[in-house]
mmCIF file of all heavy atoms in Angstrom:
data_model
loop_
_atom_site.group_PDB
_atom_site.id
_atom_site.type_symbol
_atom_site.label_atom_id
_atom_site.label_comp_id
_atom_site.label_asym_id
_atom_site.label_seq_id
_atom_site.Cartn_x
_atom_site.Cartn_y
_atom_site.Cartn_z
ATOM 1 N N GLN G 276 120.227 103.814 102.501
ATOM 2 C CA GLN G 276 120.258 102.587 103.301
ATOM 3 C C GLN G 276 119.107 101.650 102.920
ATOM 4 O O GLN G 276 119.297 100.449 102.750
ATOM 5 C CB GLN G 276 120.185 102.939 104.789
ATOM 6 C CG GLN G 276 121.444 103.621 105.327
ATOM 7 C CD GLN G 276 121.263 104.161 106.735
ATOM 8 O OE1 GLN G 276 120.148 104.402 107.183
ATOM 9 N NE2 GLN G 276 122.384 104.370 107.441
ATOM 10 N N GLY G 277 117.908 102.246 102.791
ATOM 11 C CA GLY G 277 116.742 101.457 102.396
ATOM 12 C C GLY G 277 116.887 100.877 101.002
ATOM 13 O O GLY G 277 116.544 99.706 100.763
ATOM 14 N N ALA G 278 117.395 101.685 100.063
ATOM 15 C CA ALA G 278 117.595 101.213 98.696
ATOM 16 C C ALA G 278 118.572 100.039 98.652
ATOM 17 O O ALA G 278 118.374 99.066 97.922
ATOM 18 C CB ALA G 278 118.107 102.357 97.830
ATOM 19 N N ALA G 279 119.642 100.138 99.455
ATOM 20 C CA ALA G 279 120.618 99.054 99.514
ATOM 21 C C ALA G 279 119.980 97.780 100.068
ATOM 22 O O ALA G 279 120.262 96.668 99.585
ATOM 23 C CB ALA G 279 121.812 99.466 100.389
ATOM 24 N N MET G 280 119.106 97.915 101.071
ATOM 25 C CA MET G 280 118.410 96.744 101.625
ATOM 26 C C MET G 280 117.528 96.066 100.573
ATOM 27 O O MET G 280 117.467 94.831 100.504
ATOM 28 C CB MET G 280 117.541 97.158 102.812
ATOM 29 C CG MET G 280 118.319 97.563 104.045
ATOM 30 S SD MET G 280 117.189 98.022 105.387
ATOM 31 C CE MET G 280 118.245 99.038 106.379
ATOM 32 N N VAL G 281 116.846 96.873 99.746
ATOM 33 C CA VAL G 281 115.995 96.317 98.691
ATOM 34 C C VAL G 281 116.853 95.504 97.718
ATOM 35 O O VAL G 281 116.493 94.386 97.342
ATOM 36 C CB VAL G 281 115.250 97.435 97.940
ATOM 37 C CG1 VAL G 281 114.485 96.865 96.742
ATOM 38 C CG2 VAL G 281 114.286 98.150 98.869
ATOM 39 N N CYS G 282 117.999 96.058 97.329
ATOM 40 C CA CYS G 282 118.908 95.353 96.415
ATOM 41 C C CYS G 282 119.420 94.051 97.011
ATOM 42 O O CYS G 282 119.360 92.988 96.383
ATOM 43 C CB CYS G 282 120.086 96.250 96.049
ATOM 44 S SG CYS G 282 119.679 97.633 94.986
ATOM 45 N N ILE G 283 119.921 94.137 98.248
ATOM 46 C CA ILE G 283 120.501 92.956 98.894
ATOM 47 C C ILE G 283 119.432 91.889 99.115
ATOM 48 O O ILE G 283 119.666 90.687 98.904
ATOM 49 C CB ILE G 283 121.171 93.354 100.233
ATOM 50 C CG1 ILE G 283 122.371 94.268 99.966
ATOM 51 C CG2 ILE G 283 121.628 92.096 100.988
ATOM 52 C CD1 ILE G 283 122.938 94.907 101.209
ATOM 53 N N GLY G 284 118.229 92.321 99.542
ATOM 54 C CA GLY G 284 117.139 91.383 99.748
ATOM 55 C C GLY G 284 116.777 90.656 98.467
ATOM 56 O O GLY G 284 116.563 89.436 98.460
ATOM 57 N N SER G 285 116.710 91.393 97.355
ATOM 58 C CA SER G 285 116.382 90.782 96.058
ATOM 59 C C SER G 285 117.465 89.802 95.627
ATOM 60 O O SER G 285 117.176 88.718 95.089
ATOM 61 C CB SER G 285 116.205 91.872 94.992
ATOM 62 O OG SER G 285 115.128 92.723 95.311
ATOM 63 N N ILE G 286 118.721 90.160 95.861
ATOM 64 C CA ILE G 286 119.842 89.283 95.499
ATOM 65 C C ILE G 286 119.786 87.986 96.321
ATOM 66 O O ILE G 286 120.016 86.886 95.800
ATOM 67 C CB ILE G 286 121.181 89.999 95.694
ATOM 68 C CG1 ILE G 286 121.325 91.130 94.660
ATOM 69 C CG2 ILE G 286 122.348 89.026 95.574
ATOM 70 C CD1 ILE G 286 122.485 92.060 94.905
ATOM 71 N N LEU G 287 119.474 88.095 97.609
ATOM 72 C CA LEU G 287 119.343 86.905 98.450
ATOM 73 C C LEU G 287 118.224 85.990 97.938
ATOM 74 O O LEU G 287 118.382 84.756 97.917
ATOM 75 C CB LEU G 287 119.072 87.303 99.908
ATOM 76 C CG LEU G 287 120.241 87.955 100.676
ATOM 77 C CD1 LEU G 287 119.786 88.362 102.072
ATOM 78 C CD2 LEU G 287 121.419 86.980 100.780
ATOM 79 N N CYS G 288 117.108 86.598 97.526
ATOM 80 C CA CYS G 288 116.006 85.810 96.963
ATOM 81 C C CYS G 288 116.463 85.089 95.693
ATOM 82 O O CYS G 288 116.126 83.917 95.458
ATOM 83 C CB CYS G 288 114.812 86.700 96.639
ATOM 84 S SG CYS G 288 113.961 87.365 98.085
ATOM 85 N N TRP G 289 117.243 85.773 94.884
ATOM 86 C CA TRP G 289 117.755 85.192 93.634
ATOM 87 C C TRP G 289 118.706 84.016 93.945
ATOM 88 O O TRP G 289 118.604 82.944 93.332
ATOM 89 C CB TRP G 289 118.467 86.276 92.834
ATOM 90 C CG TRP G 289 119.172 85.807 91.603
ATOM 91 C CD1 TRP G 289 118.622 85.169 90.529
ATOM 92 C CD2 TRP G 289 120.572 85.946 91.309
ATOM 93 N NE1 TRP G 289 119.585 84.921 89.582
ATOM 94 C CE2 TRP G 289 120.792 85.384 90.029
ATOM 95 C CE3 TRP G 289 121.660 86.507 91.990
ATOM 96 C CZ2 TRP G 289 122.043 85.358 89.440
ATOM 97 C CZ3 TRP G 289 122.894 86.486 91.388
ATOM 98 C CH2 TRP G 289 123.092 85.913 90.126
ATOM 99 N N ILE G 290 119.598 84.238 94.895
ATOM 100 C CA ILE G 290 120.534 83.177 95.277
ATOM 101 C C ILE G 290 119.783 81.950 95.809
ATOM 102 O O ILE G 290 120.128 80.804 95.533
ATOM 103 C CB ILE G 290 121.547 83.684 96.342
ATOM 104 C CG1 ILE G 290 122.460 84.745 95.720
ATOM 105 C CG2 ILE G 290 122.368 82.540 96.909
ATOM 106 C CD1 ILE G 290 123.352 85.448 96.740
ATOM 107 N N ALA G 291 118.717 82.217 96.572
ATOM 108 C CA ALA G 291 117.945 81.130 97.189
ATOM 109 C C ALA G 291 117.277 80.247 96.152
ATOM 110 O O ALA G 291 117.012 79.059 96.422
ATOM 111 C CB ALA G 291 116.879 81.706 98.124
ATOM 112 N N THR G 292 117.006 80.780 94.971
ATOM 113 C CA THR G 292 116.290 80.000 93.957
ATOM 114 C C THR G 292 117.202 79.475 92.857
ATOM 115 O O THR G 292 116.717 78.824 91.920
ATOM 116 C CB THR G 292 115.193 80.879 93.289
ATOM 117 O OG1 THR G 292 115.785 82.060 92.764
ATOM 118 C CG2 THR G 292 114.118 81.259 94.284
ATOM 119 N N ARG G 293 118.495 79.721 92.957
ATOM 120 C CA ARG G 293 119.416 79.213 91.933
ATOM 121 C C ARG G 293 119.639 77.721 92.120
ATOM 122 O O ARG G 293 119.804 77.211 93.212
ATOM 123 C CB ARG G 293 120.756 79.952 91.991
ATOM 124 C CG ARG G 293 120.681 81.404 91.545
ATOM 125 C CD ARG G 293 122.065 81.969 91.291
ATOM 126 N NE ARG G 293 122.678 81.317 90.129
ATOM 127 C CZ ARG G 293 123.969 81.479 89.812
ATOM 128 N NH1 ARG G 293 124.765 82.184 90.565
ATOM 129 N NH2 ARG G 293 124.457 80.881 88.745
ATOM 130 N N GLN G 294 119.657 77.013 90.991
ATOM 131 C CA GLN G 294 119.907 75.569 91.037
ATOM 132 C C GLN G 294 121.397 75.311 91.231
ATOM 133 O O GLN G 294 122.235 76.032 90.689
ATOM 134 C CB GLN G 294 119.463 74.915 89.723
ATOM 135 C CG GLN G 294 117.980 75.063 89.445
ATOM 136 C CD GLN G 294 117.133 74.272 90.442
ATOM 137 O OE1 GLN G 294 117.538 73.225 90.906
ATOM 138 N NE2 GLN G 294 115.973 74.817 90.775
ATOM 139 N N LYS G 295 121.712 74.288 92.009
ATOM 140 C CA LYS G 295 123.115 73.928 92.187
ATOM 141 C C LYS G 295 123.640 73.232 90.952
ATOM 142 O O LYS G 295 122.950 72.469 90.321
ATOM 143 C CB LYS G 295 123.255 72.986 93.417
ATOM 144 C CG LYS G 295 122.940 73.686 94.735
ATOM 145 C CD LYS G 295 123.178 72.733 95.880
ATOM 146 C CE LYS G 295 122.889 73.406 97.216
ATOM 147 N NZ LYS G 295 123.084 72.503 98.351
#
Side-chain angles (χ1 to χ4, degrees):
Q276 290 171 338
M280 290 181 202
V281 174
C282 289
I283 295 170
S285 297
I286 292 170
L287 289 176
C288 291
W289 174 60
I290 293 172
T292 55
R293 291 194 68 191
Q294 298 293 327
K295 292 183 180 179

